[in-house]
Amino acid sequence: MRIESCRNCGNTISVLKYCKVCKQPSQLRCENCSKYVDDPIHSKCETVSVGCN
């Protein structure tokens, strides 16, 4: 599931970190209220020993 906006205030979120394995967003934060969004789970990376960080 892709998160497009903050669940707290509804504004745009920013990507802070990308997964080293699959290059998908791994850490997100709201631009307006500075709340961190739950880190997305990358199912393809769970089998890789390096993990998503």
Short mmCIF file of all heavy atoms in Angstrom, two decimals:
data_model
loop_
_atom_site.label_atom_id
_atom_site.label_comp_id
_atom_site.label_asym_id
_atom_site.label_seq_id
_atom_site.Cartn_x
_atom_site.Cartn_y
_atom_site.Cartn_z
N MET A 1 0.84 -1.18 0.00
CA MET A 1 0.00 0.00 0.00
C MET A 1 0.89 1.24 0.00
O MET A 1 1.76 1.41 0.85
CB MET A 1 -0.89 -0.03 1.24
CG MET A 1 -1.73 1.21 1.38
SD MET A 1 -2.93 1.14 2.72
CE MET A 1 -1.90 1.32 4.14
N ARG A 2 0.66 2.12 -0.91
CA ARG A 2 1.42 3.36 -1.02
C ARG A 2 0.75 4.43 -0.17
O ARG A 2 -0.45 4.63 -0.24
CB ARG A 2 1.49 3.79 -2.48
CG ARG A 2 2.16 5.11 -2.64
CD ARG A 2 3.28 5.04 -3.64
NE ARG A 2 3.77 6.37 -3.91
CZ ARG A 2 4.93 6.79 -3.47
NH1 ARG A 2 5.71 6.01 -2.80
NH2 ARG A 2 5.34 8.00 -3.75
N ILE A 3 1.55 5.13 0.61
CA ILE A 3 1.04 6.21 1.44
C ILE A 3 1.32 7.52 0.72
O ILE A 3 2.48 7.85 0.46
CB ILE A 3 1.71 6.21 2.83
CG1 ILE A 3 1.44 4.88 3.53
CG2 ILE A 3 1.21 7.37 3.67
CD1 ILE A 3 2.25 4.68 4.79
N GLU A 4 0.28 8.25 0.37
CA GLU A 4 0.44 9.48 -0.39
C GLU A 4 0.42 10.73 0.49
O GLU A 4 1.02 11.73 0.15
CB GLU A 4 -0.69 9.61 -1.43
CG GLU A 4 -0.74 8.47 -2.42
CD GLU A 4 0.42 8.50 -3.40
OE1 GLU A 4 0.98 9.57 -3.65
OE2 GLU A 4 0.78 7.42 -3.90
N SER A 5 -0.29 10.66 1.63
CA SER A 5 -0.40 11.84 2.48
C SER A 5 -0.40 11.44 3.95
O SER A 5 -0.65 10.29 4.30
CB SER A 5 -1.68 12.61 2.15
OG SER A 5 -2.81 11.80 2.34
N CYS A 6 -0.14 12.42 4.80
CA CYS A 6 -0.07 12.22 6.25
C CYS A 6 -1.46 11.86 6.80
O CYS A 6 -2.44 12.51 6.48
CB CYS A 6 0.43 13.50 6.91
SG CYS A 6 0.51 13.44 8.71
N ARG A 7 -1.51 10.85 7.63
CA ARG A 7 -2.77 10.46 8.25
C ARG A 7 -3.17 11.42 9.36
O ARG A 7 -4.32 11.46 9.77
CB ARG A 7 -2.66 9.05 8.82
CG ARG A 7 -2.54 8.02 7.73
CD ARG A 7 -2.47 6.64 8.30
NE ARG A 7 -2.27 5.69 7.22
CZ ARG A 7 -1.97 4.44 7.40
NH1 ARG A 7 -1.81 3.98 8.63
NH2 ARG A 7 -1.81 3.63 6.38
N ASN A 8 -2.23 12.21 9.84
CA ASN A 8 -2.50 13.16 10.92
C ASN A 8 -3.11 14.46 10.38
O ASN A 8 -4.13 14.92 10.87
CB ASN A 8 -1.21 13.45 11.68
CG ASN A 8 -1.44 14.30 12.90
OD1 ASN A 8 -2.28 13.98 13.72
ND2 ASN A 8 -0.69 15.38 13.02
N CYS A 9 -2.47 15.05 9.36
CA CYS A 9 -2.93 16.35 8.88
C CYS A 9 -3.34 16.36 7.40
O CYS A 9 -3.89 17.34 6.92
CB CYS A 9 -1.85 17.41 9.11
SG CYS A 9 -0.38 17.19 8.09
N GLY A 10 -3.03 15.28 6.65
CA GLY A 10 -3.43 15.19 5.26
C GLY A 10 -2.48 15.83 4.25
O GLY A 10 -2.73 15.81 3.06
N ASN A 11 -1.38 16.40 4.72
CA ASN A 11 -0.44 17.05 3.80
C ASN A 11 0.56 16.06 3.21
O ASN A 11 0.60 14.89 3.58
CB ASN A 11 0.31 18.18 4.53
CG ASN A 11 -0.57 19.39 4.71
OD1 ASN A 11 -1.28 19.80 3.81
ND2 ASN A 11 -0.53 19.97 5.90
N THR A 12 1.39 16.55 2.31
CA THR A 12 2.36 15.74 1.59
C THR A 12 3.42 15.18 2.52
O THR A 12 3.86 15.85 3.46
CB THR A 12 3.05 16.60 0.51
OG1 THR A 12 2.04 17.20 -0.29
CG2 THR A 12 3.96 15.77 -0.36
N ILE A 13 3.86 13.95 2.21
CA ILE A 13 4.95 13.35 2.97
C ILE A 13 6.22 13.34 2.14
O ILE A 13 6.18 13.35 0.91
CB ILE A 13 4.60 11.92 3.44
CG1 ILE A 13 4.21 11.04 2.26
CG2 ILE A 13 3.53 11.94 4.49
CD1 ILE A 13 4.05 9.59 2.64
N SER A 14 7.36 13.32 2.81
CA SER A 14 8.67 13.31 2.15
C SER A 14 9.37 12.00 2.45
O SER A 14 9.25 11.45 3.55
CB SER A 14 9.55 14.44 2.69
OG SER A 14 9.00 15.68 2.41
N VAL A 15 10.16 11.53 1.50
CA VAL A 15 10.98 10.35 1.70
C VAL A 15 12.29 10.78 2.33
O VAL A 15 12.98 11.66 1.81
CB VAL A 15 11.24 9.63 0.36
CG1 VAL A 15 12.16 8.44 0.57
CG2 VAL A 15 9.94 9.20 -0.29
N LEU A 16 12.64 10.18 3.46
CA LEU A 16 13.89 10.50 4.13
C LEU A 16 14.98 9.50 3.81
O LEU A 16 16.16 9.85 3.74
CB LEU A 16 13.68 10.53 5.65
CG LEU A 16 12.69 11.56 6.18
CD1 LEU A 16 12.55 11.43 7.68
CD2 LEU A 16 13.12 12.97 5.81
N LYS A 17 14.59 8.22 3.63
CA LYS A 17 15.55 7.15 3.33
C LYS A 17 14.96 6.21 2.30
O LYS A 17 13.76 6.01 2.26
CB LYS A 17 15.84 6.31 4.58
CG LYS A 17 16.78 6.86 5.56
CD LYS A 17 17.04 5.77 6.60
CE LYS A 17 17.86 6.24 7.75
NZ LYS A 17 18.04 5.17 8.74
N TYR A 18 15.85 5.62 1.51
CA TYR A 18 15.46 4.59 0.56
C TYR A 18 16.12 3.28 0.96
O TYR A 18 17.24 3.28 1.49
CB TYR A 18 15.90 4.97 -0.86
CG TYR A 18 15.09 6.08 -1.45
CD1 TYR A 18 15.48 7.41 -1.32
CD2 TYR A 18 13.91 5.81 -2.15
CE1 TYR A 18 14.73 8.44 -1.86
CE2 TYR A 18 13.15 6.84 -2.69
CZ TYR A 18 13.57 8.14 -2.55
OH TYR A 18 12.82 9.16 -3.07
N CYS A 19 15.46 2.18 0.67
CA CYS A 19 15.98 0.85 0.94
C CYS A 19 17.22 0.60 0.08
O CYS A 19 17.21 0.88 -1.11
CB CYS A 19 14.89 -0.19 0.63
SG CYS A 19 15.47 -1.89 0.74
N LYS A 20 18.27 0.08 0.69
CA LYS A 20 19.50 -0.21 -0.04
C LYS A 20 19.33 -1.40 -0.97
O LYS A 20 20.07 -1.54 -1.94
CB LYS A 20 20.64 -0.49 0.94
CG LYS A 20 21.04 0.71 1.75
CD LYS A 20 22.10 0.35 2.76
CE LYS A 20 22.41 1.53 3.64
NZ LYS A 20 23.37 1.18 4.70
N VAL A 21 18.36 -2.26 -0.68
CA VAL A 21 18.16 -3.48 -1.47
C VAL A 21 17.27 -3.23 -2.68
O VAL A 21 17.64 -3.50 -3.81
CB VAL A 21 17.57 -4.61 -0.59
CG1 VAL A 21 17.26 -5.84 -1.41
CG2 VAL A 21 18.50 -4.92 0.57
N CYS A 22 16.06 -2.69 -2.45
CA CYS A 22 15.08 -2.55 -3.54
C CYS A 22 14.87 -1.10 -4.00
O CYS A 22 14.13 -0.85 -4.93
CB CYS A 22 13.74 -3.15 -3.14
SG CYS A 22 12.86 -2.22 -1.86
N LYS A 23 15.51 -0.16 -3.33
CA LYS A 23 15.43 1.27 -3.69
C LYS A 23 14.05 1.90 -3.50
O LYS A 23 13.79 2.97 -4.00
CB LYS A 23 15.88 1.50 -5.14
CG LYS A 23 17.20 0.88 -5.50
CD LYS A 23 18.34 1.38 -4.65
CE LYS A 23 19.66 0.79 -5.12
NZ LYS A 23 20.49 0.29 -4.08
N GLN A 24 13.18 1.24 -2.76
CA GLN A 24 11.86 1.79 -2.43
C GLN A 24 11.98 2.63 -1.17
O GLN A 24 12.89 2.44 -0.36
CB GLN A 24 10.85 0.66 -2.21
CG GLN A 24 10.58 -0.16 -3.45
CD GLN A 24 9.93 0.67 -4.53
OE1 GLN A 24 8.98 1.41 -4.28
NE2 GLN A 24 10.45 0.56 -5.74
N PRO A 25 11.06 3.59 -0.93
CA PRO A 25 11.12 4.40 0.29
C PRO A 25 11.07 3.52 1.54
O PRO A 25 10.30 2.57 1.61
CB PRO A 25 9.86 5.26 0.21
CG PRO A 25 9.54 5.32 -1.24
CD PRO A 25 9.95 4.00 -1.80
N SER A 26 11.92 3.81 2.51
CA SER A 26 11.93 3.04 3.76
C SER A 26 11.66 3.91 4.98
O SER A 26 11.40 3.38 6.06
CB SER A 26 13.25 2.28 3.93
OG SER A 26 14.32 3.18 4.04
N GLN A 27 11.74 5.22 4.86
CA GLN A 27 11.41 6.11 5.97
C GLN A 27 10.75 7.36 5.40
O GLN A 27 11.30 8.00 4.50
CB GLN A 27 12.65 6.47 6.77
CG GLN A 27 12.31 7.20 8.07
CD GLN A 27 13.56 7.48 8.90
OE1 GLN A 27 14.59 7.89 8.37
NE2 GLN A 27 13.46 7.25 10.18
N LEU A 28 9.59 7.70 5.93
CA LEU A 28 8.80 8.82 5.43
C LEU A 28 8.42 9.76 6.58
O LEU A 28 8.24 9.32 7.71
CB LEU A 28 7.51 8.30 4.77
CG LEU A 28 7.70 7.24 3.69
CD1 LEU A 28 6.38 6.52 3.43
CD2 LEU A 28 8.22 7.85 2.43
N ARG A 29 8.28 11.06 6.27
CA ARG A 29 7.89 12.04 7.28
C ARG A 29 7.03 13.12 6.64
O ARG A 29 7.25 13.52 5.51
CB ARG A 29 9.11 12.68 7.92
CG ARG A 29 8.75 13.57 9.11
CD ARG A 29 9.95 14.11 9.80
NE ARG A 29 10.57 15.11 8.94
CZ ARG A 29 11.70 15.72 9.20
NH1 ARG A 29 12.37 15.46 10.29
NH2 ARG A 29 12.19 16.61 8.37
N CYS A 30 6.05 13.61 7.38
CA CYS A 30 5.16 14.66 6.91
C CYS A 30 5.92 15.98 6.83
O CYS A 30 6.65 16.34 7.74
CB CYS A 30 3.96 14.79 7.84
SG CYS A 30 2.85 16.14 7.39
N GLU A 31 5.73 16.69 5.73
CA GLU A 31 6.38 17.99 5.54
C GLU A 31 5.78 19.07 6.43
O GLU A 31 6.44 20.03 6.79
CB GLU A 31 6.28 18.42 4.09
CG GLU A 31 7.04 17.53 3.14
CD GLU A 31 6.86 17.94 1.69
OE1 GLU A 31 6.06 18.86 1.40
OE2 GLU A 31 7.50 17.32 0.83
N ASN A 32 4.51 18.92 6.81
CA ASN A 32 3.81 19.94 7.56
C ASN A 32 3.95 19.76 9.08
O ASN A 32 4.40 20.65 9.78
CB ASN A 32 2.33 19.96 7.17
CG ASN A 32 1.56 21.05 7.87
OD1 ASN A 32 1.91 22.22 7.77
ND2 ASN A 32 0.51 20.68 8.57
N CYS A 33 3.55 18.60 9.59
CA CYS A 33 3.52 18.41 11.04
C CYS A 33 4.74 17.65 11.57
O CYS A 33 4.86 17.42 12.77
CB CYS A 33 2.22 17.72 11.47
SG CYS A 33 2.05 16.02 10.93
N SER A 34 5.64 17.25 10.69
CA SER A 34 6.89 16.55 11.02
C SER A 34 6.70 15.20 11.71
O SER A 34 7.62 14.71 12.34
CB SER A 34 7.80 17.45 11.88
OG SER A 34 8.13 18.61 11.17
N LYS A 35 5.52 14.61 11.58
CA LYS A 35 5.29 13.28 12.14
C LYS A 35 5.86 12.25 11.18
O LYS A 35 5.75 12.38 9.98
CB LYS A 35 3.80 13.01 12.35
CG LYS A 35 3.19 13.90 13.39
CD LYS A 35 2.31 13.09 14.29
CE LYS A 35 1.72 14.02 15.32
NZ LYS A 35 1.82 13.55 16.62
N TYR A 36 6.50 11.21 11.76
CA TYR A 36 7.01 10.12 10.95
C TYR A 36 5.87 9.19 10.57
O TYR A 36 5.00 8.90 11.38
CB TYR A 36 8.09 9.34 11.70
CG TYR A 36 9.38 10.10 11.78
CD1 TYR A 36 9.65 10.95 12.83
CD2 TYR A 36 10.33 9.99 10.77
CE1 TYR A 36 10.83 11.67 12.90
CE2 TYR A 36 11.52 10.70 10.82
CZ TYR A 36 11.76 11.54 11.89
OH TYR A 36 12.91 12.25 11.94
N VAL A 37 5.88 8.73 9.34
CA VAL A 37 4.89 7.80 8.85
C VAL A 37 5.42 6.40 9.09
O VAL A 37 6.63 6.17 9.04
CB VAL A 37 4.66 8.03 7.33
CG1 VAL A 37 3.66 7.05 6.76
CG2 VAL A 37 4.20 9.46 7.09
N ASP A 38 4.54 5.43 9.37
CA ASP A 38 4.97 4.05 9.57
C ASP A 38 5.85 3.61 8.41
O ASP A 38 5.51 3.82 7.25
CB ASP A 38 3.77 3.10 9.67
CG ASP A 38 2.95 3.35 10.93
OD1 ASP A 38 3.50 3.91 11.90
OD2 ASP A 38 1.77 2.97 10.94
N ASP A 39 6.98 2.99 8.74
CA ASP A 39 7.89 2.53 7.70
C ASP A 39 7.24 1.45 6.86
O ASP A 39 6.69 0.49 7.40
CB ASP A 39 9.18 1.98 8.33
CG ASP A 39 9.98 3.06 9.04
OD1 ASP A 39 9.75 4.25 8.75
OD2 ASP A 39 10.82 2.71 9.87
N PRO A 40 7.29 1.60 5.54
CA PRO A 40 6.70 0.59 4.66
C PRO A 40 7.46 -0.74 4.75
O PRO A 40 8.66 -0.76 5.00
CB PRO A 40 6.83 1.18 3.27
CG PRO A 40 7.65 2.41 3.38
CD PRO A 40 7.87 2.72 4.82
N ILE A 41 6.74 -1.84 4.54
CA ILE A 41 7.35 -3.16 4.54
C ILE A 41 7.63 -3.55 3.10
O ILE A 41 6.77 -3.44 2.24
CB ILE A 41 6.40 -4.19 5.19
CG1 ILE A 41 6.18 -3.83 6.65
CG2 ILE A 41 6.95 -5.60 5.05
CD1 ILE A 41 5.08 -4.62 7.32
N HIS A 42 8.83 -4.02 2.85
CA HIS A 42 9.24 -4.45 1.52
C HIS A 42 9.34 -5.97 1.54
O HIS A 42 10.35 -6.52 1.94
CB HIS A 42 10.57 -3.83 1.12
CG HIS A 42 10.57 -2.34 1.21
ND1 HIS A 42 11.69 -1.62 1.45
CD2 HIS A 42 9.56 -1.44 1.08
CE1 HIS A 42 11.38 -0.33 1.47
NE2 HIS A 42 10.10 -0.20 1.25
N SER A 43 8.29 -6.65 1.12
CA SER A 43 8.23 -8.11 1.21
C SER A 43 9.35 -8.80 0.43
O SER A 43 9.83 -9.85 0.82
CB SER A 43 6.87 -8.63 0.74
OG SER A 43 6.62 -8.22 -0.58
N LYS A 44 9.79 -8.22 -0.68
CA LYS A 44 10.86 -8.82 -1.47
C LYS A 44 12.19 -8.78 -0.73
O LYS A 44 13.08 -9.58 -0.98
CB LYS A 44 10.99 -8.12 -2.81
CG LYS A 44 9.83 -8.34 -3.73
CD LYS A 44 10.02 -7.63 -5.04
CE LYS A 44 8.81 -7.84 -5.92
NZ LYS A 44 8.95 -7.14 -7.20
N CYS A 45 12.36 -7.83 0.18
CA CYS A 45 13.63 -7.66 0.89
C CYS A 45 13.71 -8.50 2.16
O CYS A 45 14.79 -8.68 2.69
CB CYS A 45 13.82 -6.19 1.28
SG CYS A 45 13.84 -5.11 -0.13
N GLU A 46 12.59 -9.01 2.63
CA GLU A 46 12.60 -9.79 3.87
C GLU A 46 13.44 -11.04 3.77
O GLU A 46 13.97 -11.52 4.75
CB GLU A 46 11.17 -10.14 4.27
CG GLU A 46 10.40 -8.95 4.77
CD GLU A 46 8.98 -9.30 5.19
OE1 GLU A 46 8.64 -10.51 5.23
OE2 GLU A 46 8.22 -8.38 5.48
N THR A 47 13.59 -11.58 2.57
CA THR A 47 14.38 -12.80 2.39
C THR A 47 15.86 -12.51 2.22
O THR A 47 16.68 -13.42 2.27
CB THR A 47 13.87 -13.60 1.16
OG1 THR A 47 13.96 -12.76 0.02
CG2 THR A 47 12.44 -14.06 1.36
N VAL A 48 16.20 -11.26 2.05
CA VAL A 48 17.61 -10.87 1.89
C VAL A 48 18.21 -10.61 3.27
O VAL A 48 17.63 -9.90 4.08
CB VAL A 48 17.71 -9.59 1.01
CG1 VAL A 48 19.17 -9.18 0.86
CG2 VAL A 48 17.09 -9.83 -0.34
N SER A 49 19.38 -11.17 3.53
CA SER A 49 19.97 -11.05 4.87
C SER A 49 20.33 -9.62 5.24
O SER A 49 20.40 -9.28 6.41
CB SER A 49 21.21 -11.93 4.96
OG SER A 49 22.18 -11.51 4.01
N VAL A 50 20.55 -8.73 4.25
CA VAL A 50 20.93 -7.35 4.52
C VAL A 50 19.74 -6.58 5.09
O VAL A 50 19.90 -5.73 5.95
CB VAL A 50 21.42 -6.65 3.24
CG1 VAL A 50 21.95 -5.26 3.56
CG2 VAL A 50 22.47 -7.46 2.54
N GLY A 51 18.55 -6.86 4.63
CA GLY A 51 17.35 -6.18 5.10
C GLY A 51 17.17 -4.80 4.48
O GLY A 51 17.98 -4.36 3.67
N CYS A 52 16.10 -4.14 4.85
CA CYS A 52 15.75 -2.82 4.32
C CYS A 52 16.21 -1.73 5.28
O CYS A 52 15.46 -1.34 6.16
CB CYS A 52 14.25 -2.71 4.12
SG CYS A 52 13.67 -3.39 2.59
N ASN A 53 17.37 -1.23 5.14
CA ASN A 53 17.81 -0.12 5.99
C ASN A 53 18.78 0.76 5.28
O ASN A 53 19.50 0.60 4.51
CB ASN A 53 18.41 -0.61 7.29
CG ASN A 53 17.37 -1.21 8.19
OD1 ASN A 53 16.25 -0.72 8.24
ND2 ASN A 53 17.70 -2.27 8.86
#
